[in-house]
Amino acid sequence: MDDLSNQVRDQVPSSSLSLSAQRRRVGLVYDERMCKHSTPNHESHPENPNRIRAIWNKLLSSGITHKCVVFNAKDAEDKYIAAVHTSNHINLIKTISSKRTASQRNRVAAKYNSIYFNEGSSESAYLAAGSVLEAAAKVAKGELNSAFAIVRPPGHHAEESEPMGFCLYNNVAIATRFLLDQKELGINKILIVDWDVHHGNGTQNMFWKDSQVLFFSVHRHDNGSFYPMGDDGSHFMMGEGPGLGYNINVPWENGQCGDADYLAVWDHILIPVATEFSPDIIMISAGFDAAIGDPLGGCCITPNGYSRMLKKLMEFSNGKVIMALEGGYNLKSLANSVHACVEVLLEDKPIAESIEVYPFESTWRVIKAVREELGVYWPVLAEKLPEKLTSKITPLLQIYSSQSDEEYDDGPNVLSDDDVTIPLSKLKLSEDANDKVAAPSSQAWRSELSKIDIWYASFGSNMSESRFRCYIEGGQAEGMQKPCTGAVDKSQPKGVLWKTVPHRLFFGQEGTATWGPGGVAFLNPESNDQEKTFMCLYRITLEQFNDVLLQENVCVDMSSFFDLDVLERLESEKNVSLEALKDGWYHNLLYLGKDNDIPIVTMTCTHANVEEFKSGKVPIRAPAKEYEDTLVRGLLQGKQLSEDEARAYIQEAATKPL
Ligand code: Q9C
Ligand code: ZN
């Protein structure tokens, strides 16, 4: 633990209290010792110590820790762990670090599903469980209003008698059982909300027959083919005996679910049931692997989405909420999401409105199915949802299999391509869905930027016009992993123009999900008179350009955009790197002059990225065949080069040293 955090350890934040007497007391537990659990030979693994470090650094650097009550972890006592785990299991976790050699530990780990152990595993596991328990006890006693336990290893897959899915002890289950067993706390009903992208199988089983614990899990199920595989996460699993009806699963059919989908589940399942159940306290199994950009989840909840989901839960139990970290493997996205949640717990900032998006059709199908099954036990779910509501959908053009669990790379969202495009207009849409992408007040920048035209200069697959138009109109080209949502303003480009620029075209990166092994196109932001790159310019509004940028880059935080200030800076400085999009590979804006007094702008990697390519840190690589073909097609359509010339042009860009 570092100095900064010690300043606020166990202190009432006095300065802030005097400013606003009603500030809520929000606990934060973090302890560097939970970083000791890691893979034995430093093999890379998504569940690694940097996860909680990234969160803690983000909270420290934002200054938010000073508004919270920070406390250190302590070991969970065996007697509390024993209330949900067998003594064999406790024995395994307790002794795994001290009593065995690395190879013995590996052999034990291999007996379990998705588990590793090292010499620090026991200590971390005890601290993770102890932290959640301590946080829960403090909230239950009223010492804190709410708390966030930044812990690892995670817990919700851990079963009574076995570790599983990166989880050793079931931290949330241990704390939940503790709260119910300490009768003097007066807690009789606990709602567990598990929003990790994976089903909380361990927690479900531990409270299967228990009516004091309402376990609610929303997760990818993909018909039983998503981790942890099988039927446990289906909505037919509703509990047993006295616990019947107190287990609610919302199983997604596929990935891609985002804010609109989750909030629809909140509005039409979770919140009505929670109102009826009226919990004394809420535990959140807060995994952030359904967050945008997560390499395992394939879903896209934004920090704002998490804020709104959490806010709705704070209306219950007088806001007594304990959040415990579970999954979440994109460090940026993870840290931003946790930060957004802590802000909500503190209640000192209104939650931003966001653009209105509708759930997928499959989301309504799942919601209806869950309501139908659970309506037997929760009458509020038995009513039929109005057609008017469920017809508001965003089309899911192609159900794609998730990025496989093996694929831990959170690489860029690159251009993908083909000319076989399904335009949004050809899709079966309800009347509403087509014309209703509302632009509420928080999107006020749109009207201003819609008045400015710029030339968007493309050099990659976007040179192919039909492909580029997916980003404007929405739609999906064959071979694309997912449809583009398009821009809010779907009007056609006002002009197309070809130009060459004195910049180096090159191809790099290992590969992409869409194209397999092979590089994608970049433009060296440094100009060089010896070089010549063909560019296809589209005249679009600055508002549309922002929507293209968002689709091209992994966007985690939508707080800043390419606005008029940026445009002004760009004209004088030639280069502006957009911080808000810095996770993407195309967030560096490059000014390429004017045509007809309209600025020409492209997006590429940064100078720093070019250095990484030069040093070999990121590989230079020729494009995959399909990707090359698309570029060639664009050049031919634009009548810039013959096929042979186009191939030679790509060949040279792909092979000449940087
Ligand atoms: N082929 C949590 O998010 N995937 N656990 C294993 C094996 C395991 C995720 C894939 C995913 C576990 C807490
Ligand atoms: Zn997970």
Side-chain angles (χ1 to χ4, degrees):
M1 184 67 54
D2 61 285
D3 298 342
L4 199 47
S5 57
N6 284 330
Q7 293 166 17
V8 289
R9 203 154 288 276
D10 277 331
Q11 280 179 176
V12 178
S14 53
S15 59
S16 45
L17 264 189
S18 54
L19 279 173
S20 94
Q22 72 276 43
R23 166 158 289 147
R24 297 176 61 85
R25 285 175 61 84
V26 176
L28 289 181
V29 208
Y30 173 78
D31 197 309
E32 177 73 22
R33 290 176 293 165
M34 283 183 280
C35 294
K36 290 190 181 176
H37 171 62
S38 68
T39 51
N41 289 311
H42 308 106
E43 299 104 344
S44 81
H45 194 284
E47 206 295 283
N48 62 64
N50 287 334
R51 297 176 58 237
I52 57 173
R53 288 194 188 113
I55 295 171
W56 192 243
N57 286 337
K58 166 85 191 183
L59 299 184
L60 282 179
S61 64
S62 72
I64 207 166
T65 51
H66 292 287
K67 300 178 181 175
C68 300
V69 183
V70 177
F71 57 98
N72 264 326
K74 61 183 194 203
D75 285 353
E77 290 181 47
D78 283 347
K79 62 178 179 195
Y80 301 131
I81 301 173
V84 302
H85 289 290
T86 60
S87 54
N88 275 344
H89 183 74
I90 296 175
N91 217 34
L92 167 73
I93 303 302
K94 188 200 290 282
T95 58
I96 194 71
S97 293
S98 56
K99 293 221 179 108
R100 296 168 203 270
T101 66
S103 70
Q104 280 176 307
R105 276 194 295 269
N106 290 346
R107 223 164 319 136
V108 178
K111 293 200 290 189
Y112 300 103
N113 175 342
S114 306
I115 286 296
Y116 64 79
F117 294 124
N118 72 340
E119 60 286 343
S121 300
S122 303
E123 185 175 0
S124 297
Y126 272 87
L127 290 168
S131 300
V132 178
L133 190 147
E134 196 66 17
K138 286 181 195 281
V139 173
K141 288 179 196 151
E143 280 173 41
L144 297 170
N145 294 106
S146 59
F148 200 124
I150 304 155
V151 298
R152 67 180 288 278
H156 73 153
H157 295 304
E159 296 280 3
E160 181 182 20
S161 202
E162 61 180 324
M164 178 177 160
F166 317 158
C167 302
L168 304 187
Y169 281 142
N170 194 320
N171 309 316
V172 164
I174 292 166
T176 299
R177 193 70 259 165
F178 170 84
L179 293 179
L180 291 170
D181 290 346
Q182 303 305 109
K183 294 285 179 258
E184 70 280 5
L185 295 173
I187 290 180
N188 297 306
K189 289 182 286 179
I190 301 184
L191 168 62
I192 300 179
V193 175
D194 187 331
W195 73 39
D196 186 281
V197 78
H198 303 98
H199 177 235
N201 56 285
T203 318
Q204 165 168 301
N205 284 329
M206 285 165 176
F207 302 107
W208 186 241
K209 295 183 181 172
D210 199 326
S211 62
Q212 288 189 290
V213 177
L214 173 56
F215 177 67
F216 172 93
S217 179
V218 51
H219 45 266
R220 279 187 68 176
H221 187 57
D222 299 38
N223 247 303
S225 67
F226 198 76
Y227 194 87
M229 315 310 177
D231 292 336
D232 273 16
S234 103
H235 61 290
F236 299 113
M237 302 298 275
M238 295 182 288
E240 214 179 293
L244 188 54
Y246 292 90
N247 194 90
I248 303 182
N249 285 324
V250 179
W252 296 134
E253 294 175 1
N254 44 260
Q256 302 186 357
C257 293
D259 299 354
D261 305 286
Y262 279 82
L263 288 163
V265 166
W266 258 229
D267 288 347
H268 304 292
I269 301 173
L270 178 55
I271 300 305
V273 172
T275 306
E276 188 62 40
F277 181 65
S278 185
D280 298 320
I281 202 163
I282 299 181
M283 304 286 306
I284 304 182
S285 256
F288 294 92
D289 40 15
I292 185 162
D294 188 276
L296 269 63
C299 291
C300 53
I301 305 179
T302 68
N304 177 260
Y306 283 115
S307 299
R308 288 153 63 190
M309 287 154 62
L310 175 57
K311 186 77 197 171
K312 285 177 193 254
L313 293 174
M314 286 174 64
E315 303 301 319
F316 300 94
S317 340
N318 205 6
K320 287 194 210 105
V321 173
I322 297 99
M323 305 186 68
L325 183 67
E326 300 279 2
Y329 307 101
N330 175 319
L331 301 189
K332 275 279 162 48
S333 187
L334 173 62
N336 287 337
S337 303
V338 172
H339 183 261
C341 289
V342 176
E343 276 186 327
V344 173
L345 295 178
L346 282 164
E347 277 188 334
D348 62 357
K349 200 176 130 197
I351 297 171
E353 274 189 48
S354 78
I355 167 169
E356 191 178 350
V357 187
Y358 296 124
F360 291 120
E361 193 176 7
S362 61
T363 296
W364 289 120
R365 185 161 56 240
V366 171
I367 290 175
K368 283 179 191 165
V370 172
R371 287 174 60 101
E372 192 167 319
E373 287 306 315
L374 272 303
V376 180
Y377 311 104
W378 302 96
V380 53
L381 299 184
E383 298 154 41
K384 201 167 169 292
L385 290 174
E387 171 75 22
K388 195 161 163 25
L389 177 74
T390 58
S391 66
K392 294 184 174 184
I393 58 165
T394 294
L396 177 62
L397 306 189
Q398 184 192 336
I399 295 171
Y400 76 109
S401 61
S402 114
Q403 291 153 290
S404 82
D405 264 5
E406 272 70 36
E407 212 174 278
Y408 296 142
D409 168 41
D410 47 333
N413 207 359
V414 286
L415 315 177
S416 57
D417 200 318
D418 206 278
D419 278 336
V420 189
T421 313
I422 313 168
L424 275 192
S425 56
K426 291 271 168 58
L427 294 158
K428 282 194 218 86
L429 286 185
S430 67
E431 281 180 323
D432 282 7
N434 240 341
D435 53 21
K436 263 209 197 159
V437 186
S441 55
S442 62
Q443 302 266 312
W445 56 273
R446 290 192 174 276
S447 81
E448 189 185 18
L449 302 191
S450 71
K451 298 184 190 101
I452 313 290
D453 276 0
I454 58 134
W455 289 106
Y456 160 52
S458 65
F459 51 84
S461 56
N462 283 354
M463 288 188 299
S464 168
E465 187 178 349
S466 52
R467 165 70 183 87
F468 170 67
R469 277 165 46 176
C470 285
Y471 279 120
I472 300 294
E473 291 158 32
Q476 183 172 31
E478 202 183 274
M480 282 167 68
Q481 291 284 329
K482 55 178 176 172
C484 296
T485 48
V488 169
D489 172 4
K490 297 189 168 21
S491 32
Q492 304 286 312
K494 294 171 189 142
V496 182
L497 178 71
W498 284 83
K499 252 193 182 331
T500 58
V501 295
H503 285 266
R504 170 66 199 277
L505 176 71
F506 67 98
F507 297 91
Q509 288 211 12
E510 203 62 71
T512 64
T514 310
W515 299 105
V520 289
F522 293 99
L523 197 70
N524 189 336
E526 209 71 62
S527 83
N528 175 349
D529 285 340
Q530 312 299 309
E531 300 289 350
K532 180 166 135 179
T533 291
F534 290 90
M535 303 204 80
C536 180
L537 281 51
Y538 297 99
R539 182 169 164 180
I540 56 177
T541 71
L542 194 45
E543 182 203 357
Q544 289 176 313
F545 190 91
N546 272 285
D547 285 336
V548 174
L549 265 168
L550 290 176
Q551 292 173 83
E552 289 269 8
N553 291 279
V554 181
C555 173
V556 174
D557 174 2
M558 295 217 190
S559 57
S560 100
F561 285 94
F562 181 6
D563 58 12
L564 294 179
D565 287 346
V566 172
L567 185 60
E568 202 168 295
R569 268 178 57 206
L570 194 53
E571 291 192 30
S572 59
E573 295 166 29
K574 310 298 178 218
N575 251 232
V576 173
S577 158
L578 289 176
E579 272 303 291
L581 301 176
K582 64 176 180 295
D583 285 351
W585 276 86
Y586 295 94
H587 70 273
N588 185 27
L589 297 173
L590 179 60
Y591 180 78
L592 295 167
K594 282 190 167 170
D595 187 282
N596 251 314
D597 223 33
I598 295 169
I600 304 170
V601 184
T602 192
M603 56 182 93
T604 185
C605 61
T606 61
H607 291 283
N609 293 142
V610 173
E611 292 311 313
E612 293 177 329
F613 282 115
K614 282 186 180 164
S615 73
K617 190 168 168 228
V618 187
I620 296 277
R621 245 186 132 170
K625 178 81 172 79
E626 291 79 0
Y627 187 71
E628 174 182 329
D629 289 348
T630 309
L631 268 54
V632 169
R633 193 157 49 232
L635 291 160
L636 292 183
Q637 281 169 353
K639 302 194 182 3
Q640 295 303 295
L641 296 169
S642 70
E643 165 140 21
D644 286 351
E645 288 166 337
R647 299 245 174 237
Y649 164 74
I650 305 286
Q651 186 61 26
E652 187 186 341
T655 49
K656 214 170 64 171
L658 250 188

